[in-house]
Amino acid sequence: TGKMEKLIQKIAKQNFVDTDITVFWSGKSLADTVTKGECFDIIYLDIEMAIKDGVDTAKAIRRIDANVLIIYVTNHESFAKKVFEVSAFRFITKPIDYEIFRKYFMDAKRKIMHYPEYFQYQYNKISYRVPINKILYFQSDKRVTYIVTDTGNEKCYGKLNEIEKRLVEYGVYF
């Protein structure tokens, strides 16, 4: 595992944050994965990446997902202005300072928890999530609730009033 992956795991463990980390070695493979519908809460990007650099990768990601938090980690301070074009959340220069890395991770966690971009749910013991801005409405049929989006329906277990209560806690109303 890489240094950043170890840092994320360490900080997440210390702060009781569940993480699921995916590492991409090329900007193109990351952009392709997002284009196929994979959702991430945070993406750490370097400017120097194989096939597609970090700025072009972020532009491709932003065409699909305007909400993911992008944190640049790079040697190239000269690119700081360019990353604002893709609404970067933070910018970290190498060598990585642990305290700054930890602070930015926790800032991102707080933002995600206070303003969730995704509705997370379980169905058949598998966790899923759907962007909140893609949900048109919820519909209940006995014990199954349907999440109706502009591209189709998803199923989850839960009562409508419980789902509504959970969403209202985050300031999301339907």
Side-chain angles (χ1 to χ4, degrees), residues 34 38-43 58 60-71 86-89 108 111-113 115-119 129-135:
V34 171
E38 184 74 28
C39 297
F40 299 98
D41 291 315
I42 305 170
I43 295 176
I61 290 167
R62 285 291 183 233
R63 285 192 285 274
I64 305 300
D65 187 343
N67 300 317
V68 64
L69 299 180
I70 296 174
I71 299 176
V86 293
S87 302
F89 181 69
K111 182 173 173 112
I112 292 163
M113 297 306 290
Y115 304 102
E117 302 294 342
Y118 303 98
F119 176 71
R129 61 188 180 166
V130 62
I132 288 174
N133 63 359
K134 300 287 184 191
I135 300 172

mmCIF file of all heavy atoms in Angstrom, residues 34 38-43 58 60-71 86-89 108 111-113 115-119 129-135:
data_model
loop_
_atom_site.group_PDB
_atom_site.id
_atom_site.type_symbol
_atom_site.label_atom_id
_atom_site.label_comp_id
_atom_site.label_asym_id
_atom_site.label_seq_id
_atom_site.Cartn_x
_atom_site.Cartn_y
_atom_site.Cartn_z
ATOM 1 N N VAL A 34 -15.529 6.653 -12.629
ATOM 2 C CA VAL A 34 -16.559 7.620 -12.244
ATOM 3 C C VAL A 34 -17.611 7.722 -13.349
ATOM 4 O O VAL A 34 -18.810 7.770 -13.073
ATOM 5 C CB VAL A 34 -15.933 8.998 -11.925
ATOM 6 C CG1 VAL A 34 -17.005 10.060 -11.744
ATOM 7 C CG2 VAL A 34 -15.050 8.908 -10.682
ATOM 8 N N GLU A 38 -19.521 4.880 -10.546
ATOM 9 C CA GLU A 38 -18.962 4.683 -9.206
ATOM 10 C C GLU A 38 -18.908 6.038 -8.491
ATOM 11 O O GLU A 38 -18.504 7.039 -9.070
ATOM 12 C CB GLU A 38 -17.557 4.096 -9.293
ATOM 13 C CG GLU A 38 -16.930 3.766 -7.972
ATOM 14 C CD GLU A 38 -17.501 2.518 -7.320
ATOM 15 O OE1 GLU A 38 -17.979 1.628 -8.042
ATOM 16 O OE2 GLU A 38 -17.459 2.453 -6.087
ATOM 17 N N CYS A 39 -19.360 6.072 -7.245
ATOM 18 C CA CYS A 39 -19.393 7.312 -6.468
ATOM 19 C C CYS A 39 -18.342 7.270 -5.356
ATOM 20 O O CYS A 39 -18.179 6.246 -4.696
ATOM 21 C CB CYS A 39 -20.765 7.499 -5.830
ATOM 22 S SG CYS A 39 -22.103 7.666 -7.000
ATOM 23 N N PHE A 40 -17.671 8.371 -5.169
ATOM 24 C CA PHE A 40 -16.685 8.503 -4.106
ATOM 25 C C PHE A 40 -17.024 9.730 -3.274
ATOM 26 O O PHE A 40 -17.589 10.696 -3.786
ATOM 27 C CB PHE A 40 -15.272 8.666 -4.681
ATOM 28 C CG PHE A 40 -14.817 7.499 -5.513
ATOM 29 C CD1 PHE A 40 -14.906 7.526 -6.891
ATOM 30 C CD2 PHE A 40 -14.314 6.362 -4.904
ATOM 31 C CE1 PHE A 40 -14.492 6.452 -7.658
ATOM 32 C CE2 PHE A 40 -13.899 5.268 -5.661
ATOM 33 C CZ PHE A 40 -13.989 5.320 -7.040
ATOM 34 N N ASP A 41 -16.682 9.706 -1.994
ATOM 35 C CA ASP A 41 -16.851 10.875 -1.144
ATOM 36 C C ASP A 41 -15.670 11.827 -1.301
ATOM 37 O O ASP A 41 -15.832 13.038 -1.372
ATOM 38 C CB ASP A 41 -16.972 10.475 0.329
ATOM 39 C CG ASP A 41 -18.273 9.750 0.616
ATOM 40 O OD1 ASP A 41 -19.333 10.211 0.148
ATOM 41 O OD2 ASP A 41 -18.228 8.723 1.307
ATOM 42 N N ILE A 42 -14.465 11.257 -1.310
ATOM 43 C CA ILE A 42 -13.235 12.041 -1.411
ATOM 44 C C ILE A 42 -12.351 11.387 -2.465
ATOM 45 O O ILE A 42 -12.218 10.161 -2.502
ATOM 46 C CB ILE A 42 -12.448 12.054 -0.082
ATOM 47 C CG1 ILE A 42 -13.307 12.541 1.080
ATOM 48 C CG2 ILE A 42 -11.184 12.907 -0.212
ATOM 49 C CD1 ILE A 42 -12.658 12.341 2.447
ATOM 50 N N ILE A 43 -11.726 12.214 -3.284
ATOM 51 C CA ILE A 43 -10.724 11.720 -4.231
ATOM 52 C C ILE A 43 -9.443 12.509 -3.986
ATOM 53 O O ILE A 43 -9.449 13.739 -4.032
ATOM 54 C CB ILE A 43 -11.174 11.892 -5.697
ATOM 55 C CG1 ILE A 43 -12.398 11.018 -5.977
ATOM 56 C CG2 ILE A 43 -10.029 11.556 -6.657
ATOM 57 C CD1 ILE A 43 -12.981 11.181 -7.376
ATOM 58 N N ALA A 58 -9.704 15.576 -13.121
ATOM 59 C CA ALA A 58 -10.725 16.277 -12.330
ATOM 60 C C ALA A 58 -11.786 16.897 -13.232
ATOM 61 O O ALA A 58 -12.978 16.871 -12.907
ATOM 62 C CB ALA A 58 -10.077 17.339 -11.459
ATOM 63 N N ALA A 60 -12.811 15.754 -16.101
ATOM 64 C CA ALA A 60 -13.663 14.638 -16.534
ATOM 65 C C ALA A 60 -14.597 14.198 -15.402
ATOM 66 O O ALA A 60 -15.776 13.912 -15.636
ATOM 67 C CB ALA A 60 -12.797 13.473 -17.011
ATOM 68 N N ILE A 61 -14.081 14.150 -14.199
ATOM 69 C CA ILE A 61 -14.893 13.758 -13.036
ATOM 70 C C ILE A 61 -15.997 14.783 -12.801
ATOM 71 O O ILE A 61 -17.146 14.422 -12.561
ATOM 72 C CB ILE A 61 -14.005 13.600 -11.782
ATOM 73 C CG1 ILE A 61 -13.123 12.362 -11.931
ATOM 74 C CG2 ILE A 61 -14.854 13.524 -10.509
ATOM 75 C CD1 ILE A 61 -12.005 12.275 -10.909
ATOM 76 N N ARG A 62 -15.666 16.064 -12.888
ATOM 77 C CA ARG A 62 -16.649 17.122 -12.630
ATOM 78 C C ARG A 62 -17.808 17.104 -13.637
ATOM 79 O O ARG A 62 -18.912 17.525 -13.322
ATOM 80 C CB ARG A 62 -15.991 18.501 -12.625
ATOM 81 C CG ARG A 62 -15.192 18.759 -11.369
ATOM 82 C CD ARG A 62 -16.123 18.902 -10.169
ATOM 83 N NE ARG A 62 -15.372 19.209 -8.966
ATOM 84 C CZ ARG A 62 -15.476 18.523 -7.846
ATOM 85 N NH1 ARG A 62 -16.273 17.491 -7.751
ATOM 86 N NH2 ARG A 62 -14.781 18.869 -6.788
ATOM 87 N N ARG A 63 -17.572 16.622 -14.835
ATOM 88 C CA ARG A 63 -18.663 16.515 -15.809
ATOM 89 C C ARG A 63 -19.707 15.503 -15.342
ATOM 90 O O ARG A 63 -20.870 15.596 -15.694
ATOM 91 C CB ARG A 63 -18.127 16.124 -17.189
ATOM 92 C CG ARG A 63 -17.425 17.267 -17.901
ATOM 93 C CD ARG A 63 -17.164 16.962 -19.357
ATOM 94 N NE ARG A 63 -16.084 16.030 -19.574
ATOM 95 C CZ ARG A 63 -14.795 16.368 -19.657
ATOM 96 N NH1 ARG A 63 -14.434 17.623 -19.532
ATOM 97 N NH2 ARG A 63 -13.880 15.454 -19.871
ATOM 98 N N ILE A 64 -19.287 14.546 -14.518
ATOM 99 C CA ILE A 64 -20.175 13.489 -14.039
ATOM 100 C C ILE A 64 -20.624 13.751 -12.597
ATOM 101 O O ILE A 64 -21.774 13.560 -12.248
ATOM 102 C CB ILE A 64 -19.461 12.106 -14.096
ATOM 103 C CG1 ILE A 64 -18.929 11.809 -15.488
ATOM 104 C CG2 ILE A 64 -20.368 10.998 -13.586
ATOM 105 C CD1 ILE A 64 -19.969 11.754 -16.578
ATOM 106 N N ASP A 65 -19.694 14.157 -11.748
ATOM 107 C CA ASP A 65 -19.959 14.312 -10.312
ATOM 108 C C ASP A 65 -19.439 15.662 -9.829
ATOM 109 O O ASP A 65 -18.235 15.851 -9.664
ATOM 110 C CB ASP A 65 -19.290 13.171 -9.544
ATOM 111 C CG ASP A 65 -19.646 13.139 -8.073
ATOM 112 O OD1 ASP A 65 -20.149 14.151 -7.537
ATOM 113 O OD2 ASP A 65 -19.410 12.095 -7.440
ATOM 114 N N ALA A 66 -20.350 16.581 -9.607
ATOM 115 C CA ALA A 66 -19.972 17.923 -9.151
ATOM 116 C C ALA A 66 -19.751 17.969 -7.641
ATOM 117 O O ALA A 66 -19.267 18.971 -7.120
ATOM 118 C CB ALA A 66 -21.052 18.927 -9.542
ATOM 119 N N ASN A 67 -20.095 16.886 -6.937
ATOM 120 C CA ASN A 67 -20.105 16.926 -5.475
ATOM 121 C C ASN A 67 -18.904 16.286 -4.785
ATOM 122 O O ASN A 67 -18.629 16.607 -3.641
ATOM 123 C CB ASN A 67 -21.375 16.248 -4.961
ATOM 124 C CG ASN A 67 -22.613 16.947 -5.476
ATOM 125 O OD1 ASN A 67 -22.684 18.161 -5.492
ATOM 126 N ND2 ASN A 67 -23.586 16.177 -5.924
ATOM 127 N N VAL A 68 -18.227 15.369 -5.435
ATOM 128 C CA VAL A 68 -17.125 14.674 -4.772
ATOM 129 C C VAL A 68 -16.070 15.689 -4.339
ATOM 130 O O VAL A 68 -15.794 16.665 -5.045
ATOM 131 C CB VAL A 68 -16.522 13.588 -5.697
ATOM 132 C CG1 VAL A 68 -15.899 14.180 -6.945
ATOM 133 C CG2 VAL A 68 -15.500 12.749 -4.945
ATOM 134 N N LEU A 69 -15.515 15.477 -3.160
ATOM 135 C CA LEU A 69 -14.464 16.368 -2.658
ATOM 136 C C LEU A 69 -13.131 15.924 -3.246
ATOM 137 O O LEU A 69 -12.729 14.769 -3.093
ATOM 138 C CB LEU A 69 -14.413 16.319 -1.133
ATOM 139 C CG LEU A 69 -15.679 16.760 -0.409
ATOM 140 C CD1 LEU A 69 -15.490 16.672 1.096
ATOM 141 C CD2 LEU A 69 -16.096 18.156 -0.818
ATOM 142 N N ILE A 70 -12.465 16.841 -3.919
ATOM 143 C CA ILE A 70 -11.163 16.540 -4.526
ATOM 144 C C ILE A 70 -10.084 17.236 -3.717
ATOM 145 O O ILE A 70 -10.136 18.454 -3.505
ATOM 146 C CB ILE A 70 -11.114 16.994 -6.004
ATOM 147 C CG1 ILE A 70 -12.141 16.208 -6.827
ATOM 148 C CG2 ILE A 70 -9.703 16.828 -6.563
ATOM 149 C CD1 ILE A 70 -12.273 16.670 -8.264
ATOM 150 N N ILE A 71 -9.127 16.436 -3.262
ATOM 151 C CA ILE A 71 -7.975 16.966 -2.526
ATOM 152 C C ILE A 71 -6.734 16.639 -3.350
ATOM 153 O O ILE A 71 -6.441 15.474 -3.609
ATOM 154 C CB ILE A 71 -7.861 16.352 -1.116
ATOM 155 C CG1 ILE A 71 -9.111 16.692 -0.292
ATOM 156 C CG2 ILE A 71 -6.588 16.843 -0.424
ATOM 157 C CD1 ILE A 71 -9.151 16.055 1.086
ATOM 158 N N VAL A 86 -11.607 23.373 -11.028
ATOM 159 C CA VAL A 86 -12.362 22.127 -10.841
ATOM 160 C C VAL A 86 -12.882 22.011 -9.409
ATOM 161 O O VAL A 86 -13.218 20.932 -8.952
ATOM 162 C CB VAL A 86 -11.519 20.889 -11.224
ATOM 163 C CG1 VAL A 86 -11.248 20.871 -12.719
ATOM 164 C CG2 VAL A 86 -10.228 20.829 -10.433
ATOM 165 N N SER A 87 -12.941 23.148 -8.727
ATOM 166 C CA SER A 87 -13.482 23.214 -7.370
ATOM 167 C C SER A 87 -12.801 22.230 -6.416
ATOM 168 O O SER A 87 -13.456 21.443 -5.743
ATOM 169 C CB SER A 87 -14.990 22.967 -7.381
ATOM 170 O OG SER A 87 -15.638 23.895 -8.195
ATOM 171 N N ALA A 88 -11.493 22.290 -6.378
ATOM 172 C CA ALA A 88 -10.752 21.441 -5.444
ATOM 173 C C ALA A 88 -11.117 21.831 -4.014
ATOM 174 O O ALA A 88 -11.300 23.006 -3.700
ATOM 175 C CB ALA A 88 -9.254 21.578 -5.665
ATOM 176 N N PHE A 89 -11.225 20.843 -3.155
ATOM 177 C CA PHE A 89 -11.562 21.083 -1.751
ATOM 178 C C PHE A 89 -10.329 21.574 -0.983
ATOM 179 O O PHE A 89 -10.410 22.515 -0.205
ATOM 180 C CB PHE A 89 -12.126 19.808 -1.130
ATOM 181 C CG PHE A 89 -12.530 19.948 0.305
ATOM 182 C CD1 PHE A 89 -13.620 20.721 0.667
ATOM 183 C CD2 PHE A 89 -11.824 19.294 1.309
ATOM 184 C CE1 PHE A 89 -14.003 20.869 1.994
ATOM 185 C CE2 PHE A 89 -12.199 19.420 2.637
ATOM 186 C CZ PHE A 89 -13.284 20.211 2.982
ATOM 187 N N ALA A 108 -12.960 17.260 5.526
ATOM 188 C CA ALA A 108 -13.772 16.595 4.502
ATOM 189 C C ALA A 108 -14.843 15.728 5.158
ATOM 190 O O ALA A 108 -16.006 15.736 4.731
ATOM 191 C CB ALA A 108 -12.882 15.759 3.587
ATOM 192 N N LYS A 111 -17.648 17.922 6.455
ATOM 193 C CA LYS A 111 -18.469 18.435 5.342
ATOM 194 C C LYS A 111 -19.395 17.344 4.816
ATOM 195 O O LYS A 111 -20.575 17.579 4.573
ATOM 196 C CB LYS A 111 -17.585 18.973 4.225
ATOM 197 C CG LYS A 111 -18.388 19.552 3.077
ATOM 198 C CD LYS A 111 -17.506 20.233 2.065
ATOM 199 C CE LYS A 111 -18.343 20.628 0.882
ATOM 200 N NZ LYS A 111 -18.508 22.024 0.706
ATOM 201 N N ILE A 112 -18.881 16.150 4.650
ATOM 202 C CA ILE A 112 -19.681 15.031 4.139
ATOM 203 C C ILE A 112 -20.790 14.678 5.125
ATOM 204 O O ILE A 112 -21.927 14.417 4.723
ATOM 205 C CB ILE A 112 -18.783 13.804 3.856
ATOM 206 C CG1 ILE A 112 -17.860 14.104 2.673
ATOM 207 C CG2 ILE A 112 -19.615 12.551 3.618
ATOM 208 C CD1 ILE A 112 -16.677 13.170 2.560
ATOM 209 N N MET A 113 -20.491 14.677 6.406
ATOM 210 C CA MET A 113 -21.494 14.317 7.414
ATOM 211 C C MET A 113 -22.572 15.388 7.570
ATOM 212 O O MET A 113 -23.723 15.068 7.809
ATOM 213 C CB MET A 113 -20.827 14.057 8.769
ATOM 214 C CG MET A 113 -19.866 12.872 8.760
ATOM 215 S SD MET A 113 -20.571 11.333 8.160
ATOM 216 C CE MET A 113 -21.685 10.940 9.468
ATOM 217 N N TYR A 115 -23.420 17.770 5.197
ATOM 218 C CA TYR A 115 -24.101 18.022 3.926
ATOM 219 C C TYR A 115 -23.946 16.801 3.031
ATOM 220 O O TYR A 115 -23.196 16.820 2.058
ATOM 221 C CB TYR A 115 -23.506 19.261 3.236
ATOM 222 C CG TYR A 115 -23.543 20.480 4.097
ATOM 223 C CD1 TYR A 115 -22.397 20.928 4.748
ATOM 224 C CD2 TYR A 115 -24.728 21.184 4.289
ATOM 225 C CE1 TYR A 115 -22.428 22.053 5.565
ATOM 226 C CE2 TYR A 115 -24.772 22.306 5.101
ATOM 227 C CZ TYR A 115 -23.620 22.735 5.722
ATOM 228 O OH TYR A 115 -23.654 23.833 6.533
ATOM 229 N N PRO A 116 -24.659 15.724 3.368
ATOM 230 C CA PRO A 116 -24.468 14.494 2.592
ATOM 231 C C PRO A 116 -24.904 14.675 1.137
ATOM 232 O O PRO A 116 -25.923 15.311 0.861
ATOM 233 C CB PRO A 116 -25.347 13.479 3.317
ATOM 234 C CG PRO A 116 -26.396 14.292 3.987
ATOM 235 C CD PRO A 116 -25.732 15.590 4.352
ATOM 236 N N GLU A 117 -24.144 14.133 0.241
ATOM 237 C CA GLU A 117 -24.453 14.186 -1.183
ATOM 238 C C GLU A 117 -25.129 12.904 -1.640
ATOM 239 O O GLU A 117 -25.664 12.846 -2.740
ATOM 240 C CB GLU A 117 -23.170 14.409 -1.998
ATOM 241 C CG GLU A 117 -22.415 15.679 -1.628
ATOM 242 C CD GLU A 117 -23.167 16.955 -1.948
ATOM 243 O OE1 GLU A 117 -24.110 16.919 -2.760
ATOM 244 O OE2 GLU A 117 -22.819 17.997 -1.362
ATOM 245 N N TYR A 118 -25.067 11.881 -0.788
ATOM 246 C CA TYR A 118 -25.578 10.564 -1.159
ATOM 247 C C TYR A 118 -26.535 10.038 -0.098
ATOM 248 O O TYR A 118 -26.332 10.275 1.083
ATOM 249 C CB TYR A 118 -24.427 9.558 -1.318
ATOM 250 C CG TYR A 118 -23.398 10.002 -2.333
ATOM 251 C CD1 TYR A 118 -22.228 10.620 -1.927
ATOM 252 C CD2 TYR A 118 -23.623 9.816 -3.685
ATOM 253 C CE1 TYR A 118 -21.291 11.051 -2.853
ATOM 254 C CE2 TYR A 118 -22.691 10.239 -4.611
ATOM 255 C CZ TYR A 118 -21.531 10.848 -4.194
ATOM 256 O OH TYR A 118 -20.619 11.281 -5.112
ATOM 257 N N PHE A 119 -27.540 9.326 -0.545
ATOM 258 C CA PHE A 119 -28.401 8.588 0.359
ATOM 259 C C PHE A 119 -27.832 7.180 0.422
ATOM 260 O O PHE A 119 -27.724 6.498 -0.597
ATOM 261 C CB PHE A 119 -29.847 8.562 -0.167
ATOM 262 C CG PHE A 119 -30.759 7.727 0.690
ATOM 263 C CD1 PHE A 119 -31.127 8.158 1.946
ATOM 264 C CD2 PHE A 119 -31.228 6.501 0.237
ATOM 265 C CE1 PHE A 119 -31.961 7.389 2.752
ATOM 266 C CE2 PHE A 119 -32.055 5.719 1.026
ATOM 267 C CZ PHE A 119 -32.421 6.163 2.286
ATOM 268 N N ARG A 129 -25.326 3.400 -2.369
ATOM 269 C CA ARG A 129 -25.635 4.810 -2.212
ATOM 270 C C ARG A 129 -26.014 5.395 -3.561
ATOM 271 O O ARG A 129 -25.563 4.932 -4.603
ATOM 272 C CB ARG A 129 -24.501 5.571 -1.563
ATOM 273 C CG ARG A 129 -23.222 5.555 -2.304
ATOM 274 C CD ARG A 129 -22.179 6.187 -1.437
ATOM 275 N NE ARG A 129 -20.924 6.183 -2.138
ATOM 276 C CZ ARG A 129 -19.904 6.877 -1.770
ATOM 277 N NH1 ARG A 129 -19.986 7.621 -0.706
ATOM 278 N NH2 ARG A 129 -18.793 6.833 -2.451
ATOM 279 N N VAL A 130 -26.862 6.394 -3.492
ATOM 280 C CA VAL A 130 -27.345 7.062 -4.686
ATOM 281 C C VAL A 130 -27.256 8.565 -4.430
ATOM 282 O O VAL A 130 -27.535 9.013 -3.310
ATOM 283 C CB VAL A 130 -28.786 6.603 -5.043
ATOM 284 C CG1 VAL A 130 -29.768 6.960 -3.949
ATOM 285 C CG2 VAL A 130 -29.237 7.149 -6.375
ATOM 286 N N PRO A 131 -26.822 9.353 -5.415
ATOM 287 C CA PRO A 131 -26.763 10.798 -5.200
ATOM 288 C C PRO A 131 -28.146 11.353 -4.840
ATOM 289 O O PRO A 131 -29.141 11.044 -5.501
ATOM 290 C CB PRO A 131 -26.291 11.345 -6.556
ATOM 291 C CG PRO A 131 -25.603 10.191 -7.217
ATOM 292 C CD PRO A 131 -26.327 8.965 -6.737
ATOM 293 N N ILE A 132 -28.208 12.150 -3.793
ATOM 294 C CA ILE A 132 -29.485 12.706 -3.336
ATOM 295 C C ILE A 132 -30.141 13.528 -4.432
ATOM 296 O O ILE A 132 -31.357 13.467 -4.615
ATOM 297 C CB ILE A 132 -29.290 13.530 -2.044
ATOM 298 C CG1 ILE A 132 -29.007 12.572 -0.876
ATOM 299 C CG2 ILE A 132 -30.501 14.408 -1.747
ATOM 300 C CD1 ILE A 132 -28.664 13.240 0.428
ATOM 301 N N ASN A 133 -29.337 14.251 -5.213
ATOM 302 C CA ASN A 133 -29.929 15.100 -6.249
ATOM 303 C C ASN A 133 -30.501 14.302 -7.426
ATOM 304 O O ASN A 133 -31.143 14.866 -8.306
ATOM 305 C CB ASN A 133 -28.936 16.157 -6.731
ATOM 306 C CG ASN A 133 -27.707 15.567 -7.395
ATOM 307 O OD1 ASN A 133 -27.549 14.357 -7.500
ATOM 308 N ND2 ASN A 133 -26.820 16.439 -7.836
ATOM 309 N N LYS A 134 -30.292 12.995 -7.440
ATOM 310 C CA LYS A 134 -30.870 12.138 -8.488
ATOM 311 C C LYS A 134 -32.187 11.499 -8.039
ATOM 312 O O LYS A 134 -32.898 10.901 -8.836
ATOM 313 C CB LYS A 134 -29.896 11.022 -8.888
ATOM 314 C CG LYS A 134 -28.581 11.511 -9.437
ATOM 315 C CD LYS A 134 -28.744 12.071 -10.802
ATOM 316 C CE LYS A 134 -27.372 12.450 -11.353
ATOM 317 N NZ LYS A 134 -27.475 13.229 -12.551
ATOM 318 N N ILE A 135 -32.512 11.603 -6.739
ATOM 319 C CA ILE A 135 -33.722 10.977 -6.206
ATOM 320 C C ILE A 135 -34.925 11.878 -6.488
ATOM 321 O O ILE A 135 -34.926 13.057 -6.140
ATOM 322 C CB ILE A 135 -33.600 10.716 -4.691
ATOM 323 C CG1 ILE A 135 -32.427 9.778 -4.398
ATOM 324 C CG2 ILE A 135 -34.909 10.137 -4.136
ATOM 325 C CD1 ILE A 135 -32.112 9.614 -2.918
#
